[in-house]
Amino acid sequence: QLQLVESGGGLVQPGGSQRLSCTASGSSLSTYAVAWVRQVPGVGREGVLCISASGEIIDYTDDVKDRFTLVRDNARNTVYLQMNRLKPEDTGNYYCAVKLHGVCRGGDDYWGQGTQVTVSS
């Protein structure tokens, strides 16, 4: 059974950077697509980025373009969400999700519990 654990959340000042981790156990992430989704107060759930099994990165929202990126570390069975130039509106609970078919479309098959990111001075 695949399990996902997110970590790395916390309080960060506007303009700062933060790196979130999504670490899997029970199965290798290398053949799956991994997406990051955030739950934003007053907005709801919003897709952020996704990395396919082939390494293609898809932006789900233009707001994170050129600020956020994904890095896959197969040796650690982890996908990192690197967030730069953070804004207060990036505040939310960030989840990673796995798509077993390996491409960044369609539904999600497994979810983590999430990690809270708060951008505030």
Side-chain angles (χ1 to χ4, degrees):
Q1 180 80 2
L2 177 65
Q3 292 187 319
L4 303 171
V5 177
E6 300 93 338
S7 61
L11 176 65
V12 61
Q13 291 192 337
S17 297
Q18 200 157 32
R19 188 178 77 166
L20 306 182
S21 302
C22 172
T23 300
S25 60
S27 185
S28 171
L29 287 178
S30 63
T31 61
Y32 305 145
V34 179
W36 281 89
V37 179
R38 61 189 179 189
Q39 186 79 26
V40 179
V43 175
R45 196 169 70 183
E46 178 183 49
V48 180
L49 288 173
C50 178
I51 184 166
S52 71
S54 65
E56 181 183 15
I57 295 175
I58 304 296
D59 297 331
Y60 285 144
T61 173
D62 288 341
D63 183 56
V64 304
K65 192 175 179 63
D66 299 326
R67 296 192 300 123
F68 293 8
T69 193
L70 293 175
V71 177
R72 188 189 284 274
D73 185 340
N74 289 333
R76 290 180 168 80
N77 212 21
T78 297
V79 170
Y80 300 101
L81 174 63
Q82 177 65 46
M83 304 185 293
N84 301 319
R85 301 196 306 279
L86 282 159
K87 306 174 183 179
E89 51 265 43
D90 293 319
T91 294
N93 204 2
Y94 284 69
Y95 302 83
C96 63
V98 159
K99 302 175 188 290
L100 295 179
H101 49 62
V103 294
C104 290
R105 59 178 180 268
D108 302 311
D109 300 291
Y110 291 93
W111 289 81
Q113 294 298 308
T115 184
Q116 177 68 30
V117 173
T118 302
V119 185
S120 176
S121 55

